[in-house]
Amino acid sequence: MRKILTHPLMILAACVAGLLTGLYAPDLTDTIKPVGDIFLALLNMCVMPIIICAIISSVGSLFSNTSDGGNIKKMLSLFLGFIAMACLTGLICSLGMFKAFNIGEDLSTTVGSLMVSNDAQGNTPGGLGFQSVIYDISSTDSPVAEEDSGIELFVKQLVAENIFEALSTKSLLQILTFFLLFSIMLKFVEEKSRHLIISVSDAIFEVMQKLIDVIIWFLPLGLWALLANQFKSVNTEFLLALGSFVLMIWVSSLVVLAVSVFFFWTATGLGPLKQAALLKAPIFIALSTRSSFPTLPTALAALEELGLDKGSSNLTVSLGHSLCKYGKSMVFCIGSIYSFYLYNIPLSFMNLASVFVLSILAGMAASGAPSIISRTMISLVLAPLGVPSEAIIIILLTVDPITDPIITLVSTYPNYTVAAMLSPTKGKNLVRDKAESFS
């Protein structure tokens, strides 16, 4: 039964049903919305225990063995490399499309007039007004409020005064910092006690994986309800006007995913179609929930099924999902370039370099923030450059229903690739053998 419910055709049918229900049956969408909410809540319920146990088990074991220090350095280097690649892709694709299709001509006039029209009709998402935004577009001399730098904000989010409060509020960076330090300190604990703590963590992790196996039976039903609610909220008029911006995000995302798929292929021998079959559950969960953390349990199970080293992949994917927001950093780059053209501000090499660096920092600062809140953090990139951020925040919120699913996938897939690239050499033959037989 599980194979039938999680078969790609069944999942695809659920996605199509969600699309059609959201667009053409709004009353039914409202009726089934609680089903999607319950499914998402069940997935989120398992996420925090899995992250904590994965960190304790993996980091505790790694730091107990000093010879594994190089693996951690390699992991962090790969994380940074993929973030840099995502940002560069966003910069190159957005600049290339502006130059190739002359998108920047009269951009402020066309987008600004639509904002004024929507504001007059009270038709803006979330009830946000556009009048001050239009003023900012017409005058680049408007004052910009001072913002904390990306580094300062990131540091403030790292340390929890009360770890129990951080757990109750799901302050992911603070939770991550605490349990990373806790796991590192296990190295200095008596060996018997250290092994006991790691064994308990492994046992809890296994229990949560079993629970996920049960929840995943309801994947088609959950996808149907979640996607229906997602497509119900699409503002088609504004999305058509901002089609070029949406296209920039999708093109950049597909390039980043293509690079990730290629490196996963070289590491495991698993081609694109077989990767999609193996990772179908986390892929569809990312696209439907628009959140990276619900994908974690199914992703870890799929990588273990492939034969990757469990400790290494658990640590890599857990840390990557928590810290590395490739998609958000990429979107901050694209949105910043769009803002420069929106306000007719010349782009210099120093501006591009600043956007690149600040987008990486802002993406890390946005770790764990809800989608809507994280979009406002583009101000961390634009404020130091003297560019108003109000207009692009409104635009990001407007296109969110269409762009957020692919952004979420971009923020998760590179972590699977890094896990595959870090798989111990002695396990490569096993992985390749499984890849050959996988279907």
Side-chain angles (χ1 to χ4, degrees):
M1 179 63 72
R2 183 179 185 274
K3 288 186 177 180
I4 296 175
L5 291 175
T6 59
H7 193 278
L9 291 179
M10 179 67 75
I11 294 175
L12 181 60
C15 292
V16 173
L19 169 64
L20 297 176
T21 304
L23 293 177
Y24 302 110
D27 292 338
L28 178 58
T29 299
D30 292 336
T31 301
I32 65 175
K33 184 178 182 297
V35 176
D37 293 340
I38 293 171
F39 178 74
L40 184 57
L42 288 171
L43 286 176
N44 283 326
M45 175 184 70
C46 302
V47 169
M48 198 60 65
I50 285 178
I51 290 178
I52 293 172
C53 293
I55 291 173
I56 292 176
S57 299
S58 303
V59 177
S61 299
L62 282 172
F63 278 93
S64 297
N65 185 353
T66 55
S67 63
D68 285 332
N71 204 43
I72 296 177
K73 292 179 181 178
K74 186 178 180 182
M75 177 182 63
L76 296 177
S77 299
L78 287 172
F79 281 155
L80 184 59
F82 273 97
I83 294 175
M85 181 271 292
C87 289
L88 282 174
T89 300
L91 288 175
I92 292 171
C93 288
S94 56
L95 287 171
M97 291 181 68
F98 269 115
K99 296 295 185 182
F101 303 109
N102 296 319
I103 297 174
E105 295 182 358
D106 301 322
L107 184 63
S108 60
T109 303
T110 55
V111 174
S113 62
L114 181 58
M115 284 182 167
V116 171
S117 174
N118 279 356
D119 190 42
Q121 298 172 14
N123 194 34
T124 59
L128 298 172
F130 287 146
Q131 298 296 346
S132 60
V133 177
I134 303 307
Y135 171 78
D136 285 339
I137 292 178
S138 63
S139 172
T140 57
D141 296 328
S142 57
V144 179
E146 290 188 8
E147 302 276 356
D148 290 338
S149 69
I151 296 178
E152 184 179 355
L153 180 60
F154 183 61
V155 170
K156 286 181 179 178
Q157 293 178 339
L158 280 178
V159 182
E161 294 182 3
N162 186 326
I163 185 57
F164 298 104
E165 181 181 352
L167 286 167
S168 66
T169 58
K170 298 182 180 179
S171 302
L172 290 171
L173 283 180
Q174 295 177 352
I175 295 170
L176 188 65
T177 301
F178 176 85
F179 283 101
L180 275 173
L181 293 175
F182 177 89
S183 303
I184 292 171
M185 289 301 103
L186 286 177
K187 179 178 181 179
F188 305 101
V189 174
E190 184 183 20
E191 183 176 358
K192 183 179 179 181
S193 300
R194 179 171 66 246
H195 287 323
L196 176 61
I197 294 174
I198 293 175
S199 297
V200 170
S201 297
D202 287 339
I204 296 174
F205 184 91
E206 187 175 347
V207 170
M208 299 312 298
Q209 288 283 50
K210 297 295 183 183
L211 179 57
I212 286 295
D213 287 341
V214 175
I215 296 173
I216 211 66
W217 281 46
F218 303 96
L219 178 61
L221 191 62
L223 287 177
W224 173 46
L226 288 167
L227 287 174
N229 186 62
Q230 180 174 316
F231 282 102
K232 178 189 174 185
S233 61
V234 172
N235 185 334
T236 54
E237 180 186 1
F238 209 0
L239 288 176
L240 289 174
L242 297 173
S244 60
F245 183 65
V246 173
L247 187 61
M248 289 176 193
I249 293 177
W250 271 83
V251 170
S252 300
S253 298
L254 292 176
V255 171
V256 173
L257 288 173
V259 173
S260 301
V261 168
F262 173 77
F263 280 105
F264 195 104
W265 190 355
T266 58
T268 65
L270 205 65
L273 293 179
K274 290 185 177 181
Q275 287 182 44
L278 173 71
L279 298 168
K280 59 183 181 295
I283 288 173
F284 281 107
I285 289 173
L287 293 174
S288 60
T289 65
R290 298 190 289 172
S291 176
S292 59
F293 287 103
T295 68
L296 184 61
T298 54
L300 295 181
L303 295 177
E304 185 178 355
E305 178 186 349
L306 180 59
L308 297 183
D309 179 75
K310 182 178 179 181
S312 176
S313 60
N314 286 357
L315 174 63
T316 300
V317 178
S318 297
L319 284 181
H321 276 33
S322 301
L323 285 178
C324 303
K325 301 302 179 183
Y326 315 95
K328 290 179 180 178
S329 293
M330 179 194 73
V331 168
F332 289 159
C333 283
I334 298 171
S336 297
I337 299 301
Y338 198 87
S339 294
F340 273 91
Y341 278 93
L342 192 63
Y343 291 96
N344 296 314
I345 300 175
L347 270 169
S348 65
F349 176 79
M350 286 304 299
N351 283 338
L352 290 174
S354 298
V355 167
F356 175 78
V357 174
L358 290 172
S359 293
I360 293 176
L361 295 175
M364 296 178 72
S367 298
S371 176
I372 292 179
I373 301 300
S374 67
R375 299 296 179 260
T376 66
M377 291 186 178
I378 195 173
S379 61
L380 301 177
V381 181
L382 295 175
L385 301 175
V387 181
S389 59
E390 291 87 348
I392 194 63
I393 290 174
I394 297 297
I395 291 170
L396 287 172
L397 293 176
T398 302
V399 303
D400 194 66
I402 293 298
T403 59
D404 200 33
I406 193 69
I407 292 170
T408 303
L409 187 58
V410 168
S411 290
T412 56
Y413 208 100
N415 294 324
Y416 314 147
T417 302
V418 173
M421 295 172 72
L422 288 175
S423 183
T425 304
K426 63 182 180 181
K428 290 294 185 182
N429 292 333
L430 172 62
V431 171
R432 291 186 179 276
D433 289 342
K434 288 200 173 187
E436 290 295 328
S437 61
F438 190 83
S439 59

